[in-house]
Amino acid sequence: METLKIAAIPGDGIGPEVIAEGIKVLEKAAQLDGRVQFEFTYFPWGCEYYLEHGRMMDQDGIDQLKKFDAIYLGAVGYPGVPDHISLWDLLLRIRKSFDQYVNIRPIQLLNGAPCPLKNGSKQKIDMLFIRENSEGEYSGAGDWLFKGKPEEVVLQTGVFSRKGTERIIRYAFETAKESGKTVTSISKANALNYSMVFWDEVFEEVSKEYPEIQTYSYLVDAAAMHMITDPERFEVVVTSNLFGDILTDLGAALAGGMGLAAGANINPEREYPSMFEPVHGSAPDIAGKGIANPLAAVWSASQMFDFFGYNDLGEKLLQAIEKLLEENEVLTPDLGGNASTSEVGDRVTEILSELI
């Protein structure tokens, strides 16, 4: 039996509540299957830790995390701590330190999930966003000059290296090759005349290595429109850090809301641990009320199984989520129900017992 060592960082707000249910589901699936088991180590890092210690994580936090097979993150952010501190000093620090340059966001409408589109269906909304996760617009490069003076100038520099751009685009093509799907690139070369022209040129170069794969390329504003009017055209999508961040939240709205939005931060070479997280944020307004939707945390647990090669278990978790949605009986308030966070987690484990 394989033992996977997981660093659990429940984080802020509803993070601890949803991660508890995700861990419940992971352990139940592993117990039922028998091929794998988990060892969880908990880290109390986040905004409350910051308010007490003046930092988001231990000074040697990255060294502590290196020994784990994966990281399971709940949420980051809370009132009283500026967002740029909570993001850069924990989430982005982990992503960059561990070269988690692939961000994977499934935009998949499961049966039973609410969809704002009149004719939305499981067949029409089934995209996989491959987002560049290490540089681009979130490189952190720039300057703040003449602060507080009339001539104040702020520079925010997007960084697009050939290595970074080529490897994320190639990852998208390899993913499409495995699944027999199309690849769509999203950029903004008409306005961003250096970074996005470069992105488009690299996409064109890499696409020539995969002549069997149909490709498309859209400007980001047109892509946003098409995601609403014709979502079926998108299968595997590759885009930059900023555009991926924005469009995947739009996609989450199409696929049932942020309570179903999961994400994986992958280091494909496995030199460092990868990180799995629900991406709905800390939702401090409902923290502690026991009504947070844990399904995004369960979906990210499914991504963890996929990453470690237990794709069948990952699929079982998705089937359990879908059955729960179809039953329409044990749902949290954001999905129109009145169940608690733990009741949803319990029901998912019950369904898993029938599936595995």
Side-chain angles (χ1 to χ4, degrees):
M1 179 184 293
E2 181 180 17
T3 299
L4 296 174
K5 297 181 178 180
I6 310 298
I9 309 176
D12 307 313
I14 62 172
E17 301 170 53
V18 299
I19 286 298
E21 301 311 308
I23 289 174
K24 178 193 297 182
V25 171
L26 278 167
E27 290 184 325
K28 184 64 174 181
Q31 173 198 338
L32 291 167
D33 181 74
R35 289 175 292 168
V36 61
Q37 63 181 359
F38 294 98
E39 287 183 5
F40 292 95
T41 301
Y42 290 83
F43 294 88
W45 301 334
C47 290
E48 288 187 35
Y49 186 89
Y50 174 86
L51 293 173
E52 184 176 348
H53 301 278
R55 54 182 181 267
M56 289 291 294
M57 62 192 303
D58 289 346
Q59 288 182 329
D60 66 342
I62 295 299
D63 287 333
Q64 291 184 49
L65 292 175
K66 281 181 181 176
K67 63 183 180 181
F68 291 93
D69 297 304
I71 302 162
Y72 196 27
L73 175 69
V76 178
Y78 214 72
V81 179
D83 288 342
H84 68 277
I85 289 177
S86 61
L87 187 68
W88 276 93
D89 291 359
L90 183 64
L91 179 63
L92 292 184
R93 184 180 172 194
I94 292 172
R95 286 180 180 176
K96 291 175 182 293
S97 297
F98 292 148
D99 201 20
Q100 296 169 349
Y101 63 87
V102 177
N103 181 266
I104 302 176
R105 288 279 300 271
I107 308 298
Q108 183 179 357
L109 181 64
L110 300 179
N111 290 331
C115 179
L117 299 185
K118 188 174 182 180
N119 297 313
S121 67
K122 184 176 182 178
Q123 291 70 36
K124 290 182 179 180
I125 300 173
D126 188 5
M127 325 170 195
L128 187 68
F129 267 76
I130 308 295
R131 166 189 168 195
E132 204 292 314
N133 209 35
S134 63
E135 50 178 42
E137 304 89 351
Y138 293 179
S139 65
D143 209 342
W144 200 320
L145 307 173
F146 313 113
K147 202 168 187 177
K149 298 181 179 180
E151 60 270 33
E152 191 168 21
V153 175
V154 175
L155 306 173
Q156 190 78 48
T157 305
V159 175
F160 290 80
S161 68
R162 172 161 286 277
K163 175 185 176 181
T165 304
E166 193 172 291
R167 68 183 181 179
I168 193 67
I169 290 173
R170 182 165 282 109
Y171 187 94
F173 273 98
E174 287 295 326
T175 300
K177 185 177 180 180
E178 292 174 7
S179 56
K181 294 187 175 182
T182 64
V183 177
T184 298
S185 169
I186 296 175
S187 70
K188 187 63 176 171
N190 59 343
L192 303 175
N193 57 324
Y194 293 111
S195 60
M196 292 288 99
V197 170
F198 173 71
W199 175 283
D200 285 355
E201 288 183 357
V202 174
F203 181 76
E204 184 66 25
E205 290 173 16
V206 176
S207 69
K208 291 177 181 176
E209 301 175 24
Y210 301 87
E212 74 281 13
I213 295 177
Q214 179 69 51
T215 63
Y216 302 92
S217 185
Y218 298 116
L219 298 176
V220 63
D221 42 347
M225 177 188 69
H226 290 312
M227 284 179 67
I228 301 296
T229 59
D230 187 19
E232 198 170 0
R233 72 172 66 195
F234 298 100
E235 293 182 349
V236 174
V237 181
V238 63
T239 190
S240 71
N241 218 329
L242 175 62
F243 295 160
D245 193 358
I246 296 169
L247 291 178
T248 51
D249 275 15
L250 171 60
L254 299 179
M258 294 304 291
L260 288 164
N265 306 280
I266 303 297
N267 173 248
E269 293 76 20
R270 305 187 185 226
E271 297 173 1
Y272 306 102
S274 293
M275 180 165 60
F276 304 84
E277 55 170 327
V279 296
H280 46 52
S282 58
D285 56 319
I286 61 169
K289 297 182 179 180
I291 59 172
N293 188 345
L295 294 181
V298 175
W299 200 321
S300 61
S302 166
Q303 291 182 292
M304 191 186 299
F305 274 131
D306 290 343
F307 178 74
F308 287 118
Y310 299 97
N311 302 71
D312 54 334
L313 291 181
E315 180 60 30
K316 294 296 184 186
L317 261 62
L318 281 189
Q319 290 174 11
I321 294 172
E322 188 165 49
K323 184 173 181 182
L324 179 110
L325 292 168
E326 290 175 323
E327 289 175 346
N328 196 31
E329 294 175 357
V330 185
L331 299 175
T332 45
D334 62 304
L335 294 176
N338 55 16
S340 69
T341 306
S342 61
E343 286 172 341
V344 172
D346 289 343
R347 181 57 189 146
V348 172
T349 60
E350 290 171 3
I351 296 171
L352 278 177
S353 299
E354 302 166 7
L355 295 174
I356 299 177

